[in-house]
Amino acid sequence: LCFVLNGSIISFYRASIDKVIPFLYFINAVNDATLGIGIALQSTIFIARVFTKEHIIGYLAAVSYVIVGVAIRVSTFVNLMLCIVRAINIVLPFYRVKRSHLLCSIAIYTGIWMGLAIGDIVWFEKVVGFENGVYAVKTLVLKPEMGFAALKTLATQSFEISKDGSRMVFVDNVLNIEHLAISVFPAVIVPVILLVISTIIQVKALRSRKPALSDNEMSRALESTNHRSSVTILILSLVFVLCNTTSIIIWVAVYWEYFTLTSIKNLTSLQLGLIYFSGTTLFLVSGTLTPLVLVSRGDA
């Protein structure tokens, strides 16, 4: 369903990507389809574990880690850009956002997270190795924490680990808190906050806007089209906020006990499942509902 719906969006907007909003729809659909490919690869990994060698599973987990992790963060960024651009169009109707600026910002943002993801994989291969495919799946697929290589490197350099491992608990908890501050907060929480603010601005602007007084049929049609487009983006923003907020709540609920400095323990199977659901599945749901909204509203 994700591939079919996003494929229809890609096909529909491919001819009009010279315009800003269609361009963002197109990029978002391509990215969501890429996310679907990564999650399909993860499904293949779970099946292939039965008859495939451990190191092959490890390498497949690494590939899916990069694809899914980067796609999720780019999707968050593009949805935020879409809402902000629409808010600018409503508040400042004569200001035109340049597509080249959006393309440049998306490329830079993608490059940053791609670099972090590849750094994680290089660190994992050097320190752990891909021979233990089960551990690779657990670390890179079930509970991916993008940027963990940089955090672990900083932590091990900043804190001396005693031989009995008594301070390892402190370092592990520091990693959880720093991961929340460095990876989850700017990549997920901040975009949600900005998107909510942008959505409120759009709603207030639309409610305060007076209806067009022109008798010109073309002017009235343009006003109707702009209003419909704004409502569509508001619905997309609502879907995005609901999925991301649910993801944040589940993630914090599972890791809440790990923010203390008293003890540390491995995640249970249920907790691993919840982390995977919050960090991967919910974003696939969002990536499927987004094109569904566009299709159902007649915008594709």
Side-chain angles (χ1 to χ4, degrees):
L1 185 60
C2 176
F3 291 128
V4 172
L5 291 174
N6 282 293
S8 68
I9 301 301
I10 293 171
S11 176
F12 183 82
Y13 285 108
R14 184 172 54 187
S16 56
I17 58 174
D18 56 321
K19 301 176 182 178
V20 171
I21 297 297
F23 169 74
L24 290 174
Y25 283 154
F26 178 83
I27 292 294
N28 201 32
V30 171
N31 185 75
D32 288 340
T34 304
L35 173 61
I37 293 173
I39 294 180
L41 178 59
Q42 291 180 347
S43 303
T44 303
I45 292 172
F46 296 139
I47 298 173
R49 282 182 56 191
V50 179
F51 55 85
T52 305
K53 295 181 179 180
E54 288 280 320
H55 70 279
I56 296 178
I57 294 297
Y59 285 116
L60 290 176
V63 173
S64 70
Y65 174 82
V66 175
I67 295 175
V68 173
V70 174
I72 286 174
R73 283 151 182 82
V74 173
S75 177
T76 301
F77 186 74
V78 174
N79 276 282
L80 176 61
M81 290 297 100
L82 181 64
C83 192
I84 290 177
V85 167
R86 193 56 193 167
I88 292 174
N89 290 341
I90 293 174
V91 177
L92 302 172
F94 296 104
Y95 181 82
R96 291 294 175 262
V97 178
K98 292 185 178 181
R99 189 177 67 109
S100 59
H101 294 171
L102 293 174
L103 180 60
C104 183
S105 62
I106 292 171
I108 293 173
Y109 192 81
T110 303
I112 291 172
W113 286 108
M114 182 71 74
L116 285 173
I118 294 175
D120 291 343
I121 298 303
V122 171
W123 183 93
F124 188 90
E125 202 237 344
K126 288 183 177 180
V127 177
V128 181
F130 293 114
E131 290 75 16
N132 189 342
V134 174
Y135 185 75
V137 169
K138 178 181 177 181
T139 304
L140 302 177
V141 175
L142 293 179
K143 61 180 193 74
E145 299 176 353
M146 190 162 288
F148 69 83
L151 294 180
K152 287 182 182 292
T153 301
L154 289 174
T156 53
Q157 290 177 350
S158 302
F159 302 101
E160 181 182 354
I161 309 302
S162 59
K163 293 182 179 179
D164 62 358
S166 60
R167 299 198 63 187
M168 182 62 77
V169 171
F170 180 70
V171 172
D172 283 342
N173 282 282
V174 168
L175 289 177
N176 282 322
I177 296 172
E178 288 190 349
H179 176 256
L180 177 64
I182 297 175
S183 181
V184 177
F185 190 75
V188 180
I189 299 178
V190 170
V192 170
I193 295 174
L194 293 177
L195 196 143
V196 169
I197 295 174
S198 178
T199 301
I200 293 173
I201 292 174
Q202 288 188 63
V203 171
K204 290 186 66 175
L206 288 173
R207 288 175 62 88
S208 61
R209 176 178 290 182
K210 297 180 180 180
L213 300 176
S214 174
D215 293 330
N216 189 300
E217 185 176 344
M218 183 176 295
S219 298
R220 290 197 300 269
L222 180 61
E223 181 73 18
S224 176
T225 301
N226 288 335
H227 184 272
R228 183 178 181 82
S229 178
S230 299
V231 172
T232 299
I233 293 178
L234 287 176
I235 296 174
L236 294 177
S237 301
L238 179 62
V239 170
F240 173 83
V241 169
L242 287 176
C243 290
N244 279 263
T245 302
T246 304
S247 173
I248 295 168
I249 291 173
I250 294 175
W251 193 91
V252 172
V254 172
Y255 278 110
W256 184 257
E257 62 179 309
Y258 293 86
F259 295 150
T260 65
L261 303 180
T262 56
S263 64
I264 197 79
K265 61 181 180 180
N266 293 328
L267 294 175
T268 64
S269 297
L270 176 60
Q271 288 174 324
L272 280 174
L274 287 173
I275 288 297
Y276 182 79
F277 176 77
S278 68
T280 303
T281 307
L282 279 174
F283 290 96
L284 178 64
V285 171
S286 177
T288 304
L289 291 178
T290 295
L292 182 61
V293 169
L294 292 175
V295 172
S296 63
R297 298 247 335 144
D299 291 332

